[in-house]
Amino acid sequence: MIGIFGGTFDPVHFGHLRPALEVHQTLGLEELRLIPLNQAVHRAQPVASGEARLRMLEAAVADQPGFFVDRRELDRAGPSRTLDTLLSLRAEFGQQRPLCLLIGGDAFETFADWHQPERILKLAHLVVMRRPEASEPSDPRLHAMLARQRTAEVERLRQTPAGAIWYQHVTQLAISATAIRAALALGESPRYLLPEPVFAMIRATGMYASERSGGDFDAA
Ligand code: ATP
């Protein structure tokens, strides 16, 4: 099984990496692909360039076996739609290999409004990363999807290429890239919220620093 985890990763932080590792371990994924988006569809565009976000991701997962950074969305012009990414992965891996699309519990709340959600579920399983005590989504369209497609059997994920919804309980860390960028703009250190090599790259390039902050964290 291959896991797919897309996002802005502007920058990548432990709130992304720890839940992804828990999914990787629980489901026994062969590989987990982190896919930075090129052009956002429903949110503000990233601050750092695609290449910078890619390099930070590569630094973050360099010593984690089974984690890979996939640049296909950066190489595709225009908005980064999950459907197009899954079609491209299917072209590479064929129709039979199970693909697991990882999404956060918050993102799942709006899944019914994504571009062609039913088609997405025909191309991949959905792995919803949520807190154990999280409440059920309120959207009735999701209830219908869950009633048909939710499974508690890992074997169903392994034995079918797509179409199941799996709830994964994860350690959720209240870390956001927005808060990290805000801290950096104020000249505050984001250390311990993200991998040290990522912080080192941010320091070296002055990424996300405002003119006022100057990015001199070592002096803090
Ligand atoms: P921003 O603050 O810029 O919106 P972000 O930190 O939310 O960014 P993204 O790169 O947009 O990160 O998120 C990619 C994916 O990671 C999304 O599916 C999102 O739900 C999930 N995610 C982000 N932060 C966390 C977190 N702290 N815990 C669990 N999942 C997260």
Side-chain angles (χ1 to χ4, degrees):
M1 287 199 288
I2 295 173
I4 301 144
F5 189 21
T8 327
F9 302 118
D10 188 25
V12 62
H13 53 69
F14 289 136
H16 301 125
L17 295 167
R18 179 65 211 176
L21 182 61
E22 290 176 5
V23 171
H24 185 261
Q25 292 180 142
T26 305
L27 298 183
L29 298 177
E30 292 150 68
E31 55 182 77
L32 181 91
R33 293 189 169 224
L34 296 131
I35 310 186
L37 62 76
N38 179 29
Q39 199 178 313
V41 182
H42 288 303
R43 50 160 291 153
Q45 296 307 322
V47 173
S49 71
E51 293 303 322
R53 290 178 289 116
L54 182 91
R55 282 198 302 277
M56 289 190 282
L57 269 172
E58 284 173 344
V61 305
D63 60 358
Q64 177 53 50
F67 274 35
F68 300 93
V69 184
D70 182 319
R71 59 171 297 132
R72 76 187 62 220
E73 290 192 356
L74 298 180
D75 292 339
R76 202 168 67 224
S80 303
R81 290 212 167 83
T82 302
L83 180 66
D84 297 330
T85 302
L86 291 175
L87 288 168
S88 141
L89 286 159
R90 278 283 167 224
E92 183 176 335
F93 290 109
Q95 302 308 311
Q96 294 312 314
R97 196 92 172 258
L99 297 181
C100 297
L101 180 69
L102 278 60
I103 64 170
D106 295 353
F108 181 58
E109 288 281 345
T110 63
F111 180 67
D113 295 317
W114 288 22
H115 182 62
Q116 302 197 24
E118 298 289 352
R119 221 173 138 204
I120 289 176
L121 265 170
K122 286 199 164 66
L123 291 163
H125 300 304
L126 217 55
V127 172
V128 184
M129 301 180 287
R130 54 204 302 279
R131 295 174 198 280
E133 71 280 10
S135 53
E136 287 299 314
S138 47
D139 188 331
R141 293 170 296 173
L142 289 181
H143 285 196
M145 258 181 225
L146 285 165
R148 279 195 310 272
Q149 283 152 292
R150 185 171 167 196
T151 184
E153 307 292 330
V154 182
E155 279 312 304
R156 182 161 159 209
L157 300 183
R158 292 212 178 100
Q159 287 167 8
T160 53
I165 303 175
W166 168 267
Y167 274 6
Q168 170 80 39
H169 294 165
V170 292
T171 305
Q172 291 216 333
L173 305 163
I175 301 172
S176 81
T178 303
I180 290 174
R181 292 193 304 273
L184 288 161
L186 290 171
E188 292 170 8
S189 170
R191 178 169 272 152
Y192 308 136
L193 295 176
L194 74 184
E196 197 59 29
V198 176
F199 183 30
M201 289 175 80
I202 291 172
R203 273 205 310 271
T205 57
M207 248 184 293
Y208 307 120
S210 66
E211 275 176 31
R212 192 159 61 87
S213 72
D216 186 9
F217 307 102
D218 293 329

